[in-house]
Amino acid sequence: MTAPETDTATTEVDTEALRERVLASLTTARDRTTLLTSCVEGPDLTAQHSPLMSPLVWDLAHIGNQEELWLLRAVGGRDAMRPEIDSLYDAFEHPRAERPSLPLLPPAEARRYAAEVRGRVMDLLAGADFHGTRLTEAGFAFGMIAQHEQQHDETMLITHQLRKGPQALTAPDPEPVSPFTGPAEVLVPGGPFTMGTSAEPWALDNERPAHVREVAPFWIDTTPVTNGAYQAFIEDGGYDTERWWTPEGWRHIKQHSITAPLFWRRDGDRWLRRHFGVTEAVPRDEPVLHVSWYEADAYARWAGRRLPTETEWEKAARHDPVTGRSLRYPWGDADPAPEHANLGQRHLRPAPAGSYPAGASPLGVRQLIGDVWEWTASDFLPYPGFQAFPYKEYSEVFFGSDHKVLRGGSFAVDPVACRGTFRNWDYPIRRQIFSGFRTARSEAV
Protein backbone atom coordinates (compact mmCIF):
# COMPACT_ATOMS: atom_id res chain seq x y z
CA MET A 1 0.00 0.00 0.00
CA THR A 2 1.39 3.40 -0.98
CA ALA A 3 1.20 6.20 1.54
CA PRO A 4 0.60 9.85 0.96
CA GLU A 5 3.91 11.57 1.57
CA THR A 6 3.78 12.88 5.12
CA ASP A 7 7.42 13.68 5.71
CA THR A 8 7.92 17.36 5.10
CA ALA A 9 11.14 17.92 3.15
CA THR A 10 10.52 20.64 0.61
CA THR A 11 10.58 19.93 -3.11
CA GLU A 12 11.06 23.61 -3.96
CA VAL A 13 14.67 24.45 -4.79
CA ASP A 14 16.19 27.77 -3.78
CA THR A 15 19.29 27.51 -5.96
CA GLU A 16 21.57 29.80 -3.99
CA ALA A 17 20.54 28.37 -0.62
CA LEU A 18 21.10 24.87 -2.00
CA ARG A 19 24.51 25.86 -3.35
CA GLU A 20 25.45 27.13 0.11
CA ARG A 21 24.22 23.91 1.70
CA VAL A 22 26.25 21.81 -0.73
CA LEU A 23 29.34 23.92 -0.14
CA ALA A 24 28.97 23.66 3.64
CA SER A 25 28.40 19.91 3.50
CA LEU A 26 31.39 19.24 1.25
CA THR A 27 33.63 21.56 3.26
CA THR A 28 32.67 20.02 6.60
CA ALA A 29 33.38 16.56 5.25
CA ARG A 30 36.76 17.54 3.84
CA ASP A 31 37.81 19.29 7.03
CA ARG A 32 37.11 16.08 8.93
CA THR A 33 38.90 13.93 6.36
CA THR A 34 41.93 16.21 6.61
CA LEU A 35 42.03 15.93 10.40
CA LEU A 36 41.68 12.15 10.37
CA THR A 37 44.51 11.76 7.84
CA SER A 38 46.89 14.41 9.21
CA CYS A 39 46.93 13.49 12.91
CA VAL A 40 49.16 10.46 12.25
CA GLU A 41 52.38 10.04 10.28
CA GLY A 42 53.10 8.16 7.05
CA PRO A 43 53.43 4.57 8.36
CA ASP A 44 50.12 4.85 10.19
CA LEU A 45 48.50 6.13 6.99
CA THR A 46 49.74 3.29 4.82
CA ALA A 47 49.46 0.41 7.31
CA GLN A 48 46.42 -1.83 7.57
CA HIS A 49 45.49 -1.65 11.25
CA SER A 50 42.92 -4.43 10.96
CA PRO A 51 41.99 -6.83 8.14
CA LEU A 52 38.47 -5.43 8.54
CA MET A 53 39.58 -1.95 7.52
CA SER A 54 41.39 -0.25 4.65
CA PRO A 55 44.62 1.70 5.09
CA LEU A 56 43.75 5.31 5.80
CA VAL A 57 45.49 6.38 2.59
CA TRP A 58 43.17 4.13 0.56
CA ASP A 59 40.11 5.85 2.08
CA LEU A 60 41.62 9.26 1.29
CA ALA A 61 42.14 8.56 -2.42
CA HIS A 62 38.88 6.60 -2.69
CA ILE A 63 37.01 9.67 -1.43
CA GLY A 64 38.61 11.75 -4.18
CA ASN A 65 38.01 9.10 -6.83
CA GLN A 66 34.31 8.78 -6.04
CA GLU A 67 33.96 12.56 -6.10
CA GLU A 68 35.60 12.64 -9.51
CA LEU A 69 33.46 9.77 -10.86
CA TRP A 70 30.10 11.18 -9.79
CA LEU A 71 30.55 14.94 -9.83
CA LEU A 72 33.18 15.71 -12.45
CA ARG A 73 32.40 12.87 -14.87
CA ALA A 74 28.74 11.94 -14.32
CA VAL A 75 27.41 15.44 -13.56
CA GLY A 76 30.01 17.64 -15.25
CA GLY A 77 30.68 15.43 -18.28
CA ARG A 78 34.41 15.88 -17.91
CA ASP A 79 37.15 13.49 -18.95
CA ALA A 80 38.75 11.20 -16.38
CA MET A 81 41.66 12.77 -14.58
CA ARG A 82 43.44 9.52 -13.75
CA PRO A 83 41.53 6.61 -15.27
CA GLU A 84 44.35 4.21 -14.42
CA ILE A 85 43.52 4.40 -10.69
CA ASP A 86 39.79 3.72 -10.97
CA SER A 87 40.15 0.00 -10.38
CA LEU A 88 42.46 0.53 -7.37
CA TYR A 89 39.76 2.46 -5.56
CA ASP A 90 36.77 0.38 -6.62
CA ALA A 91 35.47 -1.00 -3.32
CA PHE A 92 33.82 -3.95 -5.08
CA GLU A 93 36.85 -4.96 -7.08
CA HIS A 94 39.26 -5.25 -4.16
CA PRO A 95 38.24 -6.54 -0.70
CA ARG A 96 39.70 -4.62 2.22
CA ALA A 97 42.16 -7.37 3.09
CA GLU A 98 43.79 -7.01 -0.35
CA ARG A 99 44.09 -3.23 -0.45
CA PRO A 100 47.48 -2.87 1.30
CA SER A 101 49.09 -4.93 -1.48
CA LEU A 102 47.81 -2.64 -4.24
CA PRO A 103 49.99 0.09 -5.82
CA LEU A 104 48.14 2.82 -3.95
CA LEU A 105 48.89 6.50 -4.26
CA PRO A 106 51.29 7.49 -1.48
CA PRO A 107 49.93 9.96 1.11
CA ALA A 108 51.22 13.19 -0.48
CA GLU A 109 49.99 12.19 -3.92
CA ALA A 110 46.62 11.04 -2.58
CA ARG A 111 46.19 14.43 -0.89
CA ARG A 112 47.09 16.29 -4.08
CA TYR A 113 44.67 14.20 -6.12
CA ALA A 114 41.77 14.71 -3.69
CA ALA A 115 42.51 18.44 -3.51
CA GLU A 116 42.64 18.80 -7.28
CA VAL A 117 39.32 17.00 -7.64
CA ARG A 118 37.79 19.26 -5.02
CA GLY A 119 39.05 22.39 -6.74
CA ARG A 120 37.41 21.35 -10.00
CA VAL A 121 34.22 20.42 -8.14
CA MET A 122 34.09 23.93 -6.68
CA ASP A 123 34.14 25.32 -10.23
CA LEU A 124 31.36 22.91 -11.20
CA LEU A 125 29.31 23.85 -8.16
CA ALA A 126 29.58 27.57 -8.93
CA GLY A 127 27.63 27.09 -12.14
CA ALA A 128 25.28 24.30 -11.10
CA ASP A 129 21.53 24.93 -11.44
CA PHE A 130 20.43 21.61 -9.82
CA HIS A 131 17.95 20.75 -12.57
CA GLY A 132 17.84 18.54 -15.61
CA THR A 133 18.35 14.97 -14.46
CA ARG A 134 17.52 12.86 -11.46
CA LEU A 135 21.20 12.90 -10.53
CA THR A 136 21.36 16.69 -10.45
CA GLU A 137 17.85 17.51 -9.21
CA ALA A 138 17.97 19.26 -5.83
CA GLY A 139 21.73 18.66 -5.78
CA PHE A 140 21.32 14.93 -5.17
CA ALA A 141 24.74 13.92 -6.55
CA PHE A 142 26.48 16.56 -4.45
CA GLY A 143 24.59 15.42 -1.36
CA MET A 144 25.41 11.79 -2.12
CA ILE A 145 29.12 12.61 -2.30
CA ALA A 146 29.04 14.63 0.93
CA GLN A 147 27.37 11.67 2.63
CA HIS A 148 29.85 9.24 1.09
CA GLU A 149 32.82 11.21 2.42
CA GLN A 150 31.29 11.47 5.89
CA GLN A 151 30.63 7.73 5.88
CA HIS A 152 34.32 7.18 5.17
CA ASP A 153 35.18 9.65 7.88
CA GLU A 154 33.32 7.37 10.27
CA THR A 155 35.13 4.38 8.80
CA MET A 156 38.46 6.13 9.31
CA LEU A 157 37.53 6.94 12.90
CA ILE A 158 36.90 3.22 13.42
CA THR A 159 40.40 2.60 12.03
CA HIS A 160 41.79 5.08 14.56
CA GLN A 161 40.07 3.15 17.34
CA LEU A 162 41.60 -0.10 16.08
CA ARG A 163 45.05 1.44 15.64
CA LYS A 164 47.60 0.50 18.25
CA GLY A 165 49.73 3.24 19.72
CA PRO A 166 49.31 6.53 21.57
CA GLN A 167 46.32 8.82 21.36
CA ALA A 168 46.15 10.81 18.13
CA LEU A 169 42.69 12.38 18.36
CA THR A 170 41.08 14.43 21.10
CA ALA A 171 37.71 16.09 21.57
CA PRO A 172 35.76 17.49 24.52
CA ASP A 173 33.52 15.08 26.36
CA PRO A 174 29.75 15.51 26.23
CA GLU A 175 28.26 17.69 28.92
CA PRO A 176 27.72 15.75 32.17
CA VAL A 177 24.10 15.15 33.10
CA SER A 178 22.31 13.96 36.19
CA PRO A 179 21.49 10.24 36.17
CA PHE A 180 18.37 9.61 34.12
CA THR A 181 15.37 9.03 36.40
CA GLY A 182 12.58 8.97 33.82
CA PRO A 183 10.52 5.93 32.82
CA ALA A 184 12.56 2.95 31.68
CA GLU A 185 10.32 2.33 28.68
CA VAL A 186 7.75 4.08 26.52
CA LEU A 187 4.55 2.66 24.98
CA VAL A 188 4.35 3.22 21.23
CA PRO A 189 0.72 3.01 20.10
CA GLY A 190 -0.34 0.58 17.42
CA GLY A 191 -1.68 1.56 14.03
CA PRO A 192 -0.35 2.77 10.69
CA PHE A 193 2.47 5.17 10.08
CA THR A 194 4.46 6.34 7.07
CA MET A 195 7.88 4.69 6.86
CA GLY A 196 10.66 5.83 4.55
CA THR A 197 10.57 8.91 2.36
CA SER A 198 9.77 10.01 -1.16
CA ALA A 199 10.45 13.70 -0.54
CA GLU A 200 13.77 14.01 1.32
CA PRO A 201 15.98 15.26 -1.54
CA TRP A 202 19.25 13.67 -0.43
CA ALA A 203 17.76 10.41 0.84
CA LEU A 204 19.45 7.32 -0.60
CA ASP A 205 17.71 4.60 -2.56
CA ASN A 206 17.15 2.18 0.33
CA GLU A 207 15.21 4.85 2.26
CA ARG A 208 12.66 5.13 -0.56
CA PRO A 209 9.76 5.18 -1.22
CA ALA A 210 7.45 6.35 1.55
CA HIS A 211 4.89 3.65 2.34
CA VAL A 212 2.43 2.74 5.07
CA ARG A 213 3.32 0.16 7.71
CA GLU A 214 0.93 -1.23 10.27
CA VAL A 215 2.51 -1.69 13.70
CA ALA A 216 1.12 -3.44 16.76
CA PRO A 217 1.56 -1.53 20.05
CA PHE A 218 4.88 -2.16 21.76
CA TRP A 219 7.14 -0.89 24.50
CA ILE A 220 10.65 0.40 23.78
CA ASP A 221 13.50 1.46 26.07
CA THR A 222 13.56 5.19 26.71
CA THR A 223 17.35 5.22 26.35
CA PRO A 224 19.94 2.87 24.86
CA VAL A 225 21.20 0.03 27.04
CA THR A 226 24.09 1.26 29.19
CA ASN A 227 27.46 -0.21 30.04
CA GLY A 228 26.28 -0.70 33.60
CA ALA A 229 23.23 -2.67 32.50
CA TYR A 230 25.36 -4.73 30.13
CA GLN A 231 27.83 -5.52 32.90
CA ALA A 232 24.96 -7.10 34.83
CA PHE A 233 24.43 -9.44 31.88
CA ILE A 234 28.12 -10.37 31.94
CA GLU A 235 28.20 -10.89 35.69
CA ASP A 236 25.12 -13.11 35.50
CA GLY A 237 26.98 -15.46 33.17
CA GLY A 238 25.45 -14.15 29.98
CA TYR A 239 28.38 -15.23 27.84
CA ASP A 240 28.33 -18.73 29.39
CA THR A 241 24.60 -19.45 29.09
CA GLU A 242 23.69 -20.95 25.75
CA ARG A 243 19.94 -20.37 26.00
CA TRP A 244 20.32 -16.61 25.53
CA TRP A 245 22.04 -17.00 22.17
CA THR A 246 20.99 -17.95 18.69
CA PRO A 247 22.79 -21.11 17.52
CA GLU A 248 24.92 -19.03 15.14
CA GLY A 249 25.71 -16.50 17.86
CA TRP A 250 26.67 -19.18 20.36
CA ARG A 251 29.02 -20.82 17.89
CA HIS A 252 30.57 -17.47 17.05
CA ILE A 253 31.32 -16.31 20.60
CA LYS A 254 32.71 -19.71 21.60
CA GLN A 255 34.83 -20.03 18.48
CA HIS A 256 36.34 -16.58 19.08
CA SER A 257 36.39 -16.70 22.91
CA ILE A 258 34.29 -13.54 23.22
CA THR A 259 33.41 -12.68 26.82
CA ALA A 260 32.73 -8.91 26.74
CA PRO A 261 32.31 -6.02 24.29
CA LEU A 262 35.24 -5.33 21.99
CA PHE A 263 38.08 -3.36 23.63
CA TRP A 264 36.97 -4.32 27.19
CA ARG A 265 39.13 -6.20 29.68
CA ARG A 266 38.68 -7.04 33.34
CA ASP A 267 41.08 -5.58 35.87
CA GLY A 268 40.34 -7.14 39.23
CA ASP A 269 36.80 -6.16 40.13
CA ARG A 270 36.43 -3.48 37.48
CA TRP A 271 36.17 -3.24 33.71
CA LEU A 272 38.58 -1.21 31.60
CA ARG A 273 38.46 -0.39 27.90
CA ARG A 274 40.82 0.99 25.29
CA HIS A 275 39.36 4.14 23.76
CA PHE A 276 41.30 5.90 20.97
CA GLY A 277 44.66 4.98 22.47
CA VAL A 278 43.72 5.64 26.11
CA THR A 279 42.85 3.00 28.71
CA GLU A 280 39.97 4.08 30.92
CA ALA A 281 37.40 2.66 33.29
CA VAL A 282 34.23 1.69 31.46
CA PRO A 283 31.71 4.50 32.14
CA ARG A 284 28.61 2.83 33.58
CA ASP A 285 26.14 5.46 32.40
CA GLU A 286 27.20 5.56 28.74
CA PRO A 287 25.37 3.48 26.12
CA VAL A 288 27.21 0.22 25.56
CA LEU A 289 29.43 0.33 22.49
CA HIS A 290 31.16 -2.16 20.18
CA VAL A 291 28.73 -5.05 20.55
CA SER A 292 27.63 -7.35 17.76
CA TRP A 293 24.05 -8.12 16.80
CA TYR A 294 24.50 -11.52 18.44
CA GLU A 295 25.47 -9.86 21.72
CA ALA A 296 22.62 -7.35 21.56
CA ASP A 297 20.12 -10.12 20.83
CA ALA A 298 21.45 -12.30 23.67
CA TYR A 299 21.23 -9.42 26.16
CA ALA A 300 17.64 -8.72 25.12
CA ARG A 301 16.68 -12.38 25.65
CA TRP A 302 18.40 -12.39 29.04
CA ALA A 303 16.44 -9.26 30.00
CA GLY A 304 13.15 -10.91 28.99
CA ARG A 305 12.80 -8.61 26.02
CA ARG A 306 13.79 -8.47 22.35
CA LEU A 307 15.36 -6.14 19.83
CA PRO A 308 12.90 -3.80 18.12
CA THR A 309 12.18 -4.41 14.48
CA GLU A 310 13.34 -1.75 12.06
CA THR A 311 9.72 -0.70 11.55
CA GLU A 312 9.18 -0.35 15.29
CA TRP A 313 12.35 1.65 15.66
CA GLU A 314 11.34 4.11 12.95
CA LYS A 315 7.84 4.51 14.31
CA ALA A 316 9.26 5.25 17.77
CA ALA A 317 11.59 7.80 16.18
CA ARG A 318 9.31 9.58 13.70
CA HIS A 319 5.65 9.10 14.55
CA ASP A 320 3.78 12.06 16.03
CA PRO A 321 0.63 10.62 17.63
CA VAL A 322 -1.04 14.05 17.78
CA THR A 323 -0.84 14.86 14.08
CA GLY A 324 -0.29 11.37 12.69
CA ARG A 325 2.66 12.70 10.67
CA SER A 326 6.04 11.11 10.27
CA LEU A 327 8.66 13.67 11.27
CA ARG A 328 12.08 14.04 9.65
CA TYR A 329 13.73 13.56 13.06
CA PRO A 330 12.47 12.60 16.52
CA TRP A 331 12.38 16.27 17.59
CA GLY A 332 10.62 17.52 14.46
CA ASP A 333 11.55 18.66 10.98
CA ALA A 334 14.45 21.01 11.78
CA ASP A 335 17.98 19.93 10.88
CA PRO A 336 20.02 18.56 13.82
CA ALA A 337 21.53 21.10 16.19
CA PRO A 338 23.95 20.45 19.08
CA GLU A 339 21.11 20.38 21.61
CA HIS A 340 19.34 17.60 19.71
CA ALA A 341 21.94 14.86 19.32
CA ASN A 342 25.56 13.78 19.64
CA LEU A 343 26.70 13.80 16.01
CA GLY A 344 29.59 14.84 13.78
CA GLN A 345 32.56 13.61 15.87
CA ARG A 346 32.02 16.68 18.05
CA HIS A 347 32.64 14.27 20.93
CA LEU A 348 34.50 11.00 20.54
CA ARG A 349 32.20 9.02 22.81
CA PRO A 350 28.49 8.52 23.48
CA ALA A 351 26.78 10.92 25.85
CA PRO A 352 25.34 9.50 29.09
CA ALA A 353 22.01 7.76 28.80
CA GLY A 354 19.17 10.24 29.09
CA SER A 355 21.06 13.13 27.49
CA TYR A 356 19.58 15.50 24.91
CA PRO A 357 16.00 15.90 26.16
CA ALA A 358 15.48 18.45 23.36
CA GLY A 359 16.06 15.62 20.89
CA ALA A 360 13.42 13.30 22.32
CA SER A 361 10.62 11.94 20.14
CA PRO A 362 7.02 13.09 20.67
CA LEU A 363 6.55 9.97 22.80
CA GLY A 364 9.58 10.79 24.94
CA VAL A 365 12.13 8.29 23.58
CA ARG A 366 15.65 9.73 23.87
CA GLN A 367 18.89 9.47 21.90
CA LEU A 368 17.36 7.79 18.88
CA ILE A 369 19.69 9.88 16.72
CA GLY A 370 23.42 9.96 17.42
CA ASP A 371 25.51 8.40 20.21
CA VAL A 372 25.43 4.76 19.01
CA TRP A 373 24.12 2.89 16.00
CA GLU A 374 21.27 0.70 17.25
CA TRP A 375 20.91 -2.89 16.11
CA THR A 376 17.39 -3.92 15.14
CA ALA A 377 15.89 -7.38 14.74
CA SER A 378 15.40 -6.89 11.00
CA ASP A 379 17.23 -8.17 7.96
CA PHE A 380 18.25 -5.54 5.39
CA LEU A 381 15.51 -5.72 2.75
CA PRO A 382 14.12 -3.36 0.11
CA TYR A 383 10.98 -1.35 0.67
CA PRO A 384 7.96 -1.99 -1.59
CA GLY A 385 8.61 -0.15 -4.84
CA PHE A 386 12.36 0.08 -4.31
CA GLN A 387 14.40 1.24 -7.30
CA ALA A 388 18.20 1.12 -7.28
CA PHE A 389 19.70 4.56 -7.87
CA PRO A 390 22.19 5.66 -9.00
CA TYR A 391 23.89 2.24 -8.90
CA LYS A 392 22.77 -1.14 -7.59
CA GLU A 393 25.97 -1.67 -5.59
CA TYR A 394 24.98 0.97 -3.04
CA SER A 395 22.13 -1.08 -1.55
CA GLU A 396 20.69 -3.77 -3.77
CA VAL A 397 23.61 -6.21 -3.65
CA PHE A 398 23.42 -6.27 0.16
CA PHE A 399 19.73 -7.11 0.51
CA GLY A 400 18.96 -10.41 2.22
CA SER A 401 19.33 -12.25 5.50
CA ASP A 402 23.12 -11.87 5.75
CA HIS A 403 22.93 -8.28 7.01
CA LYS A 404 21.07 -6.81 9.97
CA VAL A 405 19.80 -3.24 10.01
CA LEU A 406 21.19 -0.57 12.33
CA ARG A 407 19.43 2.73 12.81
CA GLY A 408 19.97 6.17 14.30
CA GLY A 409 23.62 6.99 13.69
CA SER A 410 26.44 7.39 16.19
CA PHE A 411 28.64 10.13 17.60
CA ALA A 412 30.87 9.51 14.56
CA VAL A 413 28.14 10.29 12.00
CA ASP A 414 27.68 13.74 10.51
CA PRO A 415 24.15 15.14 10.32
CA VAL A 416 24.29 15.06 6.51
CA ALA A 417 24.47 11.26 6.69
CA CYS A 418 21.91 10.72 9.42
CA ARG A 419 18.11 11.05 9.22
CA GLY A 420 15.06 9.48 10.79
CA THR A 421 14.83 7.37 7.62
CA PHE A 422 18.55 6.59 7.23
CA ARG A 423 19.40 2.87 7.12
CA ASN A 424 22.71 1.23 7.92
CA TRP A 425 23.48 -2.48 7.76
CA ASP A 426 26.23 -4.92 8.66
CA TYR A 427 26.96 -8.54 9.40
CA PRO A 428 25.69 -9.71 12.81
CA ILE A 429 29.25 -10.51 13.91
CA ARG A 430 30.54 -6.95 13.48
CA ARG A 431 31.81 -5.22 16.64
CA GLN A 432 34.39 -2.67 15.49
CA ILE A 433 31.58 -0.34 14.41
CA PHE A 434 30.12 2.17 16.87
CA SER A 435 27.17 -0.07 17.62
CA GLY A 436 24.86 -0.38 20.61
CA PHE A 437 21.16 -1.10 21.00
CA ARG A 438 17.96 -0.67 22.95
CA THR A 439 15.35 -3.33 23.67
CA ALA A 440 11.61 -3.64 23.20
CA ARG A 441 8.68 -5.87 24.13
CA SER A 442 5.23 -6.44 22.74
CA GLU A 443 2.41 -4.81 24.67
CA ALA A 444 0.85 -8.13 25.63
CA VAL A 445 4.05 -9.43 27.23
Side-chain angles (χ1 to χ4, degrees):
M1 175 168 55
T2 301
E5 183 65 63
T6 59
D7 60 59
T8 57
T10 180
T11 57
E12 295 296 321
V13 177
D14 179 331
T15 300
E16 290 311 310
L18 182 54
R19 201 184 323 276
E20 291 178 6
R21 183 190 178 200
V22 168
L23 177 60
S25 298
L26 291 174
T27 301
T28 298
R30 186 53 48 87
D31 287 347
R32 195 67 200 174
T33 299
T34 300
L35 175 62
L36 291 165
T37 56
S38 63
C39 63
V40 290
E41 298 298 329
D44 276 333
L45 287 172
T46 57
Q48 185 174 46
H49 300 283
S50 164
L52 297 174
M53 311 305 292
S54 306
L56 290 169
V57 73
W58 185 93
D59 285 293
L60 175 58
H62 170 76
I63 285 168
N65 186 244
Q66 289 294 296
E67 188 166 330
E68 184 197 347
L69 285 169
W70 288 104
L71 297 185
L72 296 183
R73 299 190 212 174
V75 173
R78 302 186 183 182
D79 293 336
M81 292 169 56
R82 299 191 62 169
E84 75 279 4
I85 70 171
D86 287 352
S87 65
L88 297 178
Y89 298 103
D90 185 331
F92 290 91
E93 187 167 337
H94 300 288
R96 286 176 175 172
E98 295 179 3
R99 292 171 190 171
S101 64
L102 300 174
L104 303 177
L105 299 182
E109 193 172 350
R111 288 193 180 99
R112 284 195 298 270
Y113 169 63
E116 185 176 355
V117 171
R118 177 54 58 88
R120 297 185 186 191
V121 165
M122 291 297 98
D123 291 340
L124 180 69
L125 176 62
D129 63 7
F130 308 115
H131 293 293
T133 69
R134 187 176 173 190
L135 197 60
T136 57
E137 191 70 32
F140 174 82
F142 292 93
M144 179 182 72
I145 287 301
Q147 292 176 81
H148 174 264
E149 182 162 355
Q150 288 287 5
Q151 288 167 335
H152 276 271
D153 288 344
E154 181 176 17
T155 298
M156 288 192 286
L157 190 65
I158 293 170
T159 300
H160 275 280
Q161 169 63 9
L162 289 163
R163 182 184 65 85
K164 301 297 192 295
Q167 184 179 27
L169 293 166
T170 60
D173 287 342
E175 290 293 324
V177 297
S178 300
F180 180 68
T181 58
E185 59 181 355
V186 170
L187 178 63
V188 180
F193 90 106
T194 300
M195 187 172 186
T197 180
S198 297
E200 189 74 34
W202 289 2
L204 303 172
D205 59 3
N206 63 64
E207 302 171 64
R208 301 173 181 272
H211 59 287
V212 169
R213 293 284 182 97
E214 189 77 25
V215 182
F218 66 98
W219 294 85
I220 192 167
D221 290 339
T222 308
T223 70
V225 171
T226 64
N227 289 319
Y230 198 85
Q231 286 177 39
F233 167 67
I234 299 174
E235 302 301 337
D236 196 44
Y239 282 89
D240 299 312
T241 308
E242 184 174 358
R243 74 175 183 272
W244 305 133
W245 300 81
T246 65
E248 299 82 4
W250 183 250
R251 285 195 299 270
H252 180 73
I253 66 156
K254 291 305 173 185
Q255 179 182 354
H256 296 278
S257 301
I258 295 171
T259 59
L262 187 60
F263 307 115
W264 285 31
R265 65 177 176 86
R266 191 186 287 277
D267 178 44
D269 60 354
R270 64 177 182 160
W271 284 99
L272 302 178
R273 71 178 182 189
R274 183 168 57 82
H275 186 72
F276 295 110
V278 175
T279 298
E280 63 180 21
V282 172
R284 292 185 59 85
D285 59 349
E286 279 186 14
V288 67
L289 191 63
H290 297 302
V291 291
S292 67
W293 184 90
Y294 289 137
E295 290 168 291
D297 179 70
Y299 173 96
R301 294 168 188 257
W302 169 81
R305 299 170 68 82
R306 58 178 175 80
L307 295 178
T309 66
E310 182 184 15
T311 304
E312 289 173 333
W313 188 97
E314 188 167 325
K315 183 166 187 179
R318 300 184 63 211
H319 179 65
D320 183 347
V322 174
T323 65
R325 290 181 49 243
S326 287
L327 307 173
R328 294 180 69 213
Y329 298 96
W331 55 84
D333 298 327
D335 288 339
E339 66 270 19
H340 292 136
N342 181 8
L343 293 166
Q345 302 185 23
R346 187 172 74 248
H347 312 295
L348 295 180
R349 63 175 65 243
S355 297
Y356 303 105
S361 75
L363 295 169
V365 188
R366 297 196 184 188
Q367 293 169 282
L368 286 156
I369 299 292
D371 287 306
V372 294
W373 285 107
E374 298 185 12
W375 288 110
T376 72
S378 299
D379 296 337
F380 184 49
L381 299 172
Y383 290 161
F386 167 84
Q387 293 182 346
F389 178 79
Y391 58 107
K392 68 179 182 179
E393 288 82 6
Y394 182 75
S395 302
E396 185 175 327
V397 298
F398 298 102
F399 289 145
S401 60
D402 288 344
H403 296 88
K404 295 294 185 181
V405 173
L406 301 104
R407 299 297 299 263
S410 74
F411 63 86
V413 177
D414 188 80
V416 75
C418 187
R419 294 171 286 278
T421 57
F422 193 93
R423 308 172 76 195
N424 191 6
W425 63 93
D426 215 324
Y427 293 111
I429 63 172
R430 289 290 185 251
R431 309 200 311 155
Q432 85 278 10
I433 58 178
F434 300 115
S435 53
F437 64 100
R438 71 182 73 216
T439 68
R441 66 181 175 94
S442 301
E443 185 186 27
V445 174

